[in-house]
Amino acid sequence: MQAIEVSHLIKKFGSLTAINDISFSVDVGETFGFLGPNGAGKTTTIRILTGVSRPTSGTATIFGHDIEHDTIAARQSMGIVSENSNVYDDLTAWQNMMFSAELYHVGRKEREKKANELLKKFELYERRNDKAHVFSKGMKRRLTLAMGLVNSPRLLFLDEPTSGLDVQSNLIIRDVVADLVHEGVTVFLTTHNIEEANVMCDRVAIINKGHIVAIDAPESLKKTIQSVQSIEISFDHNSADQLDELSHLSMVNEAQKAGDKFKLYTEDHSEVINAVMAYAHTHNLKVISITTLGPSLEDVFIRLTGLQRTGEKIHAID
Amino acid sequence: MPSTDNKGLAKRLSYEISAAWAIAKKDMRIYYFKPNIIVSGLFFPLFMFLAFAIGKNTPPGTLIPGLISITLLFSASSIEPVSIPIERRVKTFERLLSAPISLYSLVTGESLSGFLYSLGIACLPLAVGVFMFGTPIMNISILIISMALTAFCFATLGTLFAAYPTENVGEVMSILNTVRLPLIFISGVFIPISTMPRIGQQIALVSPLTYGNDMIEYAYTGKSLFSPLVDILALIIFILIFQVTANYLYKKFNE
């Protein structure tokens, strides 16, 4: 039995087709990333998989339970951590945990035990009697995740778990998710942080304009675009014109500046290395470091979703 | 097999009841003391009542049943039109919609908090009647049943209007008031139904407040337009209609 099985799912809002005939499955214990630009259909898919929205056609099952016709049984095994830290600001951390547990029918003794355990794990135990409105963004995020785990779910939906968080919260959340994966919990992760998906996921699906354009392990996806390679280089000093000059070197398709480094995209490493060394010599620059890089998951994402880079930003071209 | 099915059903039912109660408790903790709920549920009916009662040549004690009726109407229907748009805005409502509970439990849980709030508030005019004016109560059992049914009916009405898909409290309140305010004038609270023109009497029949107020009047005076049984039946039918419609609208607007 699969943790999630989606078959020919279509969702239309009037004349707009938000999801267009998508099919995929997620194995038990797998960490599955769901990536896509804004408006690609990620949220609509999650809303259908969690039974909040109904598909126009097609089916989705959670551990064998049809989400449309056996919604309550399907939801019972889920934990849902939405993108917004949707905790009740006027309730204490403890009351938030208890409420969430009651909604998921967790017995009194079990919910108190679980709440104690989770609040300690997320370093919120000392603040359990404080109302959530005094919590920082990171603390609210940790509380949201703790609430999503209070029913010991077999499947966890994680929507942008670490977006915009402080380092401490980020590390705690990643550690807890790693522990969950170790315990055999299936994780369905959506994130804009492609590196996070690269590090955390067994497989990723890339959705664009309602279609799944790729679905595979991150490393397998990277192999599909070997032509996108890059060189990362840093010099002993930088000037304002360097980015423009480097972008005009032979065989450089695109140049980006990232901190004190330049990233040059190319299809021919060796040609560009020669050109860069010559450029450094001409401009009397000392090369501090130079690294050749294969395609990243972000490159795959950009290639498959039709986005394009401009400087350090990514813009939609559709 | 049937006993296993019954056990499963009983377990499911107990889950649904406890989830509804959890939602009600959450609302009680968060919303009962919000200023806009106190204004809408307590002061609004009081001032509305005083505006009509002051200057009338009627013993104040006789006005108590009417005051209880409109207090129940306003207080019971005030919690959800405030709480649900706020929860939509802060995305906590999504938490309820994705929980392993039926929409009926969600609607009932939301209504339950309005119901209990309303009963608590309505005890104030009741106490004023008893302790300040010595207003006699003819039938205490009918009074309890009438207050409970009327409160639950209007709490469900509030939940029904809160289904309107907005994050703006004012928007729901405006729509709700276009229904609540006319109800006061066509339901025999200020103007006896028997003195209304024929068209007014016919409209009064489709107002749940008519039956709630009628039964409360009966509990105090022993006199009423309909028998208490008819009032009870009418209020139960209104509750069912509001509940089913609310369930349908929450499902529809989720999309």
Side-chain angles (χ1 to χ4, degrees):
Chain A
M1 189 174 42
Q2 307 282 345
I4 301 175
E5 190 139 28
V6 171
S7 177
H8 300 291
L9 211 60
I10 296 175
K11 178 69 185 180
K12 292 184 178 179
F13 296 102
S15 60
L16 175 81
T17 305
I19 296 178
N20 199 349
D21 196 16
I22 65 168
S23 299
F24 63 89
S25 61
V26 178
D27 291 332
V28 174
E30 188 178 9
T31 302
F32 187 84
F34 203 58
L35 312 177
N38 288 337
K42 295 192 302 287
T43 304
T44 307
T45 307
I46 289 186
R47 284 174 66 85
I48 291 173
L49 292 180
T50 53
V52 176
S53 183
R54 298 172 72 176
T56 307
S57 67
T59 58
T61 60
I62 306 292
F63 294 110
H65 298 287
D66 186 301
I67 190 64
E68 197 183 350
H69 301 110
D70 197 5
T71 315
I72 292 176
R75 284 175 177 170
Q76 192 63 54
S77 53
M78 292 178 194
I80 302 167
V81 179
S82 80
E83 183 181 359
N84 316 89
S85 294
N86 57 347
V87 300
Y88 293 93
D89 277 350
D90 291 320
L91 297 183
T92 65
W94 183 260
Q95 287 168 337
N96 267 293
M97 293 294 287
M98 291 299 109
F99 175 61
S100 193
E102 283 177 85
L103 280 185
Y104 281 81
H105 323 304
V106 182
R108 181 185 287 274
K109 276 189 178 169
E110 177 61 20
R111 66 178 175 248
E112 288 179 356
K113 184 175 159 239
K114 196 77 190 170
N116 275 316
E117 184 188 304
L118 285 165
L119 289 173
K120 281 176 186 162
K121 195 179 255 188
F122 284 100
E123 298 182 13
L124 292 168
Y125 187 74
E126 303 302 320
R127 304 288 301 271
R128 66 191 181 282
N129 294 322
D130 289 351
K131 287 190 174 176
H133 68 81
V134 299
F135 285 4
S136 69
K137 187 180 175 185
M139 290 166 77
K140 281 187 183 176
R141 195 81 195 118
R142 282 184 265 152
L143 180 57
T144 310
L145 193 46
M147 288 167 79
L149 294 174
V150 77
N151 61 322
S152 309
R154 295 162 66 200
L155 167 63
L156 184 66
F157 284 94
L158 270 179
D159 198 358
E160 299 288 348
T162 59
S163 172
L165 292 190
D166 57 286
V167 178
Q168 184 200 10
S169 299
N170 214 324
L171 290 175
I172 293 172
I173 289 174
R174 284 194 185 180
D175 279 353
V176 171
V177 173
D179 288 348
L180 289 171
V181 171
H182 190 66
E183 289 162 20
V185 174
T186 309
V187 176
F188 188 94
L189 170 84
T190 65
T191 178
H192 281 98
N193 185 342
I194 296 170
E195 189 47 32
E196 185 170 66
N198 184 34
V199 172
M200 291 172 74
C201 298
D202 296 307
R203 285 190 305 146
V204 295
I206 297 178
I207 185 168
N208 191 31
K209 296 175 185 167
H211 295 274
I212 289 187
V213 290
I215 180 164
D216 214 330
E219 290 309 313
S220 305
L221 285 174
K222 288 177 203 171
K223 279 184 186 158
T224 63
I225 57 160
Q226 275 304 335
S227 59
V228 181
Q229 301 175 61
S230 58
I231 289 166
E232 204 171 69
I233 186 161
S234 67
F235 302 111
D236 59 343
H237 63 267
N238 296 334
S239 69
D241 302 331
Q242 275 174 351
L243 182 64
D244 188 49
E245 288 164 1
L246 288 168
S247 70
H248 288 97
L249 292 181
S250 163
M251 296 303 290
V252 171
N253 297 331
E254 187 188 334
Q256 283 174 36
K257 189 170 186 304
D260 65 340
K261 291 177 276 297
F262 294 95
K263 197 171 180 184
L264 310 178
Y265 287 86
T266 181
E267 287 168 21
D268 188 340
H269 274 150
S270 54
E271 181 82 13
V272 172
I273 290 170
N274 289 339
V276 166
M277 296 316 282
Y279 170 83
H281 183 73
T282 311
H283 292 80
N284 207 22
L285 296 169
K286 191 176 166 190
V287 175
I288 302 291
S289 71
I290 185 162
T291 315
T292 60
L293 302 165
S296 66
L297 189 58
E298 185 175 279
D299 298 322
V300 179
F301 180 82
I302 289 167
R303 173 70 67 91
L304 294 174
T305 55
L307 298 169
Q308 71 179 17
R309 295 174 200 276
T310 305
E312 290 179 21
K313 292 177 181 170
I314 296 171
H315 295 282
I317 55 173
D318 49 341
Chain B
M1 279 306 282
S3 72
T4 315
D5 286 351
N6 287 341
K7 270 185 189 170
L9 193 68
K11 194 175 171 188
R12 184 74 252 147
L13 196 65
S14 89
Y15 279 174
E16 295 287 341
I17 292 169
S18 61
W21 178 236
I23 293 171
K25 275 192 301 182
K26 178 263 299 172
D27 280 357
M28 287 182 221
R29 283 184 173 132
I30 299 176
Y31 300 104
Y32 272 19
F33 298 104
K34 292 267 182 212
N36 44 358
I37 285 185
I38 292 174
V39 169
S40 173
L42 180 62
F43 293 117
F44 195 71
L46 180 66
F47 291 132
M48 179 71 82
F49 184 80
L50 290 176
F52 283 90
I54 288 173
K56 274 193 173 178
N57 202 12
T58 317
T62 60
L63 299 172
I64 293 298
L67 180 57
I68 291 175
S69 298
I70 63 166
T71 303
L72 289 170
L73 165 66
F74 281 96
S75 55
S77 58
S78 287
I79 302 273
E80 273 53 56
V82 172
S83 70
I84 291 176
I86 290 175
E87 294 208 9
R88 273 199 198 98
R89 193 173 66 232
V90 297
K91 310 294 178 200
T92 46
F93 196 61
E94 194 93 344
R95 192 176 275 287
L96 305 182
L97 291 173
S98 59
I101 57 169
S102 68
L103 265 178
Y104 281 104
S105 297
L106 196 163
V107 170
T108 306
E110 293 287 356
S111 305
L112 211 54
S113 65
F115 163 75
L116 293 172
Y117 176 74
S118 173
L119 283 184
I121 297 280
C123 284
L124 293 176
L126 184 70
V128 167
V130 172
F131 298 113
M132 278 181 66
F133 304 118
T135 314
I137 300 166
M138 299 276 288
N139 190 328
I140 190 94
S141 310
I142 290 288
L143 182 65
I144 292 168
I145 295 168
S146 63
M147 284 175 66
L149 278 175
T150 309
F152 199 73
C153 183
F154 291 124
T156 316
L157 180 75
T159 310
L160 166 64
F161 274 80
Y164 183 72
T166 179
E167 296 175 356
N168 184 341
V169 174
E171 223 171 313
V172 179
M173 278 298 187
S174 306
I175 300 168
L176 180 61
N177 280 336
T178 60
V179 174
R180 285 197 305 193
L181 293 173
L183 284 187
I184 302 171
F185 303 102
I186 60 156
S187 305
V189 178
F190 295 120
I191 310 152
I193 291 173
S194 54
T195 64
M196 286 181 183
R198 194 173 171 74
I199 182 79
Q201 290 182 359
Q202 284 170 343
I203 294 171
L205 294 177
V206 295
S207 161
L209 187 59
T210 299
Y211 304 97
N213 186 58
D214 192 52
M215 204 171 15
I216 292 168
E217 278 286 348
Y218 178 85
Y220 271 94
T221 62
K223 292 174 201 161
S224 61
L225 205 58
F226 309 104
S227 89
L229 203 63
V230 170
D231 290 327
I232 290 171
L233 213 65
L235 284 170
I236 290 173
I237 290 169
F238 275 111
I239 290 169
L240 290 175
I241 292 171
F242 294 159
Q243 174 92 17
V244 170
T245 314
N247 198 62
Y248 169 77
L249 291 178
Y250 280 102
K251 203 174 225 173
K252 179 181 160 67
F253 289 139
N254 265 350
E255 295 296 312

